[in-house]
């Protein structure tokens, strides 16, 4: 059977891995980007030993599906875990808040608020399945249980910068999914997650799977029993190709540009994009050793500063300090059109509050944009979840909107990709 998989992120790679096991299928991954890895795609400067993700990435110790997949690939021991410091910037001060004890020491909220916050977090940590919480709006629940002060200081800035106008719509299951699986130890693949994707690509190519990179699918059409895909390569060359079965790994608004399907237009399938500005610096920005800094300052234009070299040694990047500045917004917002230089100009005065001399240390900077990076989980979201089957037979769909209540993650993309492959095999057992 001739199978096209649209996209080459971790969902697509995992699905291709399982579908290629029988050795009977002709599988082709068609990817718009020049490299595999999807949202975890990486780039490498000539002086670096390791490649580096366009957007910040780490795994959690609870990422069982990723670990199992790496085990199957013979790569498990290359996913290495270590503790990384997480802090919060509030009122011009950096506070380490990444354990019950450090939360207890956070004097910007009252002791009673700290105790209430700790109790709610502990409850969410032990609750095994958070979907039952989807009836509650997270903002309302957190204000009621942790108190107004904890909401305003700790959580409101996060919800505002992550969800914008949807801030008060997000359900409590999302918050559970953010708290429950998190571990103090974070995992990183030796060489980077983009490197991991390339290693998987090589393994798949060895098994006969084809990769067509730097090629965009612009339309999916049905012609009798077959699918015709319109393709556009980086030289603007248009071609068409025919397949028996198609799997899309694109989020609904992107998938909807290729084919008109009612299931892609649901009001509940919305999300925000991400803009990640990467700074290559001669010296560290976060000198206290913080890897992940939540920005809880009012009216700052970004939500997080992530200093990669406070987690992974900069020996792999020729001694450079690599710092991500992360932000979420709707693609319809004017700022989403901004260039790297325009964003740096917007951010400069804020970053200078952390290090007045950071511009002197700047080697270079670059911007990565992701049009769909943060799905919104509304109240009762599980009633509106997309299915693997679309309304067209043999056109399947898996993406980060399928992994509810989690919103994204390599672990969940792998799990969903493998689940989809099993589903496709069952439904097409005569031919696969
Ligand atoms: C800012 C940010 C931070 C993240 N941090 C983490 C983290 O710390 N840990 C973690 O585990 N995960 C993280 N993720 C998520 C992670 O990258 C997963 O890979 C992602 O959730 C989804 O993978 P996927 O395979 O489902 O889709 P994607 O990775 O989105 O893959 C879809 C692919 O389809 C391609 N495509 C789009 N349109 C077309 C077209 N028309 N034709 C052909 N190809 C097309 C895209 O180029 C892309 O490669 C982060 C993501 C972002 C944006």
């Amino acid at each position: 059977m001739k199978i096209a998989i649209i996209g080459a992120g971790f969902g697509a790679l995992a699905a291709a891995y399982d579908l290629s096991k029988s050795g009977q299928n002709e599988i082709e991954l068609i990817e718009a980007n020049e490299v595999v890895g999807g949202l975890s795609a990486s780039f490498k400067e000539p002086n670096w030993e390791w490649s580096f993700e366009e957007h910040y990435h780490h795994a959690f110790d609870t990422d069982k599906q990723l670990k199992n997949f790496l085990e199957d690939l013979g790569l498990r021991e290359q996913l290495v875990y270590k503790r990384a410091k997480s802090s919060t910037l509030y009122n011009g001060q950096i506070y380490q808040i990444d354990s019950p004890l450090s939360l207890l020491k956070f004097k910007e909220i009252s002791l009673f608020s700290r105790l209430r916050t700790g109790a709610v977090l502990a409850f969410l940590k032990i609750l095994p399945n958070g979907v039952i919480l989807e009836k509650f709006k997270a903002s309302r629940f957190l204000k009621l249980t942790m108190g107004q002060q904890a909401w305003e200081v700790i959580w409101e800035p996060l919800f505002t910068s992550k969800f914008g106008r949807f801030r008060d719509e997000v359900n409590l299951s999302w918050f559970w999914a953010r708290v429950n699986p998190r571990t103090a130890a974070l995992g990183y693949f030796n060489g980077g997650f983009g490197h991991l994707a390339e290693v998987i690509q090589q393994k798949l190519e060895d098994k006969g799977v084809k990769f067509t990179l730097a090629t965009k699918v612009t339309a999916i059409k049905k012609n009798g029993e077959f699918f015709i895909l319109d393709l556009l390569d980086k030289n603007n060359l248009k071609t068409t190709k025919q397949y028996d079965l198609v799997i899309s790994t694109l989020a609904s608004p992107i998938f909807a540009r290729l084919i008109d399907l009612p299931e892609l237009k649901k009001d509940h399938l919305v999300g925000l994009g991400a803009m990640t500005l990467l700074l290559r610096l001669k010296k560290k920005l976060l000198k206290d050793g913080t890897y992940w800094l939540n920005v809880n300052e009012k009216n700052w234009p970004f939500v997080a500063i992530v200093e990669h070299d406070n987690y992974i040694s900069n020996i792999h990047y020729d001694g450079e300090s690599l710092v991500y500045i992360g932000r979420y917004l709707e693609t319809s917002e004017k700022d989403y059109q901004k260039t790297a230089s325009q964003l740096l100009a917007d951010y400069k005065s804020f970053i200078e509050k952390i290090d007045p001399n950071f511009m002197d240390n700047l080697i270079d900077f670059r911007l990565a944009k992701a049009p769909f990076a943060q799905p919104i989980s509304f109240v009762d979201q599980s009633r509106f979840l997309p299915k693997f089957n679309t309304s067209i037979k043999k056109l399947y769909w898996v993406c980060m909107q399928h992994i509810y209540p989690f919103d994204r993650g390599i672990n969940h993309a792998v799990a969903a990709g493998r689940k989809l492959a099993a589903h496709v095999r069952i439904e097409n057992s005569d031919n696969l």
Side-chain angles (χ1 to χ4, degrees), residues 6-13 30-33 35-41 55-60 63 66 193 215-218 249-251 254 257-258 274 276 291-292 327-328 370 372-374 398-400 403 407-413:
I6 307 174
F10 274 94
L13 294 170
I30 306 163
E31 167 58 56
N33 201 350
V35 292
V36 297
L39 291 173
S40 32
H55 304 277
Y56 36 86
H57 272 78
H58 53 251
F60 295 114
D63 283 352
L66 174 62
F193 288 104
T215 302
K216 226 176 165 173
V217 178
T218 54
T249 67
L250 315 182
I254 306 170
R257 288 183 213 142
L258 313 187
T276 306
Y291 160 63
W292 187 282
R327 166 183 194 176
Y328 297 86
F372 196 98
Q374 180 61 65
V398 63
C399 73
M400 66 170 97
I403 61 166
D407 56 10
R408 60 169 196 226
I410 296 173
N411 179 62
H412 305 295

Side-chain angles (χ1 to χ4, degrees), residues 168-326:
D168 293 323
E169 302 300 317
V170 174
N171 75 26
L172 190 58
S173 296
W174 175 83
F175 191 71
W176 170 87
R178 190 177 165 87
V179 171
N180 185 277
R182 289 200 172 217
T183 51
L186 301 180
Y188 196 70
F189 191 80
N190 286 335
F193 288 104
H195 169 63
L196 167 61
E198 283 170 0
V199 172
I200 299 171
Q201 174 188 5
Q202 188 56 60
K203 284 182 183 277
L204 289 172
E205 281 177 339
D206 292 345
K207 290 207 280 177
V209 174
K210 198 173 163 202
F211 284 78
T212 301
L213 302 179
T215 302
K216 226 176 165 173
V217 178
T218 54
I220 304 169
K221 295 169 191 156
K222 192 88 207 272
N223 184 5
E225 284 292 289
F226 302 107
F227 290 95
I228 308 292
L229 299 194
D230 289 350
L231 308 179
L232 181 70
D233 75 10
K234 63 174 174 186
N235 302 316
N236 278 333
L237 196 72
K238 289 181 182 172
T239 47
T240 59
K241 277 191 182 172
Q242 182 175 296
Y243 301 89
D244 303 303
L245 189 152
V246 174
I247 297 169
S248 164
T249 67
L250 315 182
S252 57
I254 306 170
F255 190 11
R257 288 183 213 142
L258 313 187
I259 189 163
D260 188 18
L261 296 175
E263 56 267 42
L264 301 179
K265 293 179 183 155
K266 293 202 177 126
D267 290 346
H268 279 73
L269 293 182
V270 293
L272 267 64
M275 287 174 106
T276 306
L277 186 70
L278 170 70
L279 309 177
R280 293 172 55 199
L281 300 170
K282 287 182 229 153
K283 288 185 189 152
K284 282 184 194 298
L285 179 69
L286 302 179
K287 297 182 177 60
D288 70 333
T290 292
Y291 160 63
W292 187 282
L293 183 69
N294 289 313
V295 175
N296 283 28
E297 301 285 18
K298 280 217 160 48
N299 301 321
W300 278 43
F302 44 83
V303 61
I305 299 179
V306 185
E307 176 120 21
H308 185 73
D309 52 301
N310 278 338
Y311 168 42
I312 301 296
S313 166
N314 64 6
I315 202 166
H316 306 296
Y317 315 98
D318 199 17
E320 292 181 21
S321 289
L322 300 174
V323 177
Y324 296 106
I325 314 280

Side-chain angles (χ1 to χ4, degrees), residues 98 102 104 106 138 148 279 282 341 393 401 425:
D98 55 3
S102 54
L104 212 57
F106 181 56
Q148 187 68 24
L279 309 177
K282 287 182 229 153
S341 306
K393 204 174 163 203
Q401 291 160 300
R425 287 172 83 135

Side-chain angles (χ1 to χ4, degrees), residues 14 18 23 26 50 63 89 155 176 234 313 323 338:
D18 281 352
E26 268 182 64
W50 283 6
D63 283 352
L89 177 68
W155 306 112
W176 170 87
K234 63 174 174 186
S313 166
V323 177
K338 286 191 172 169

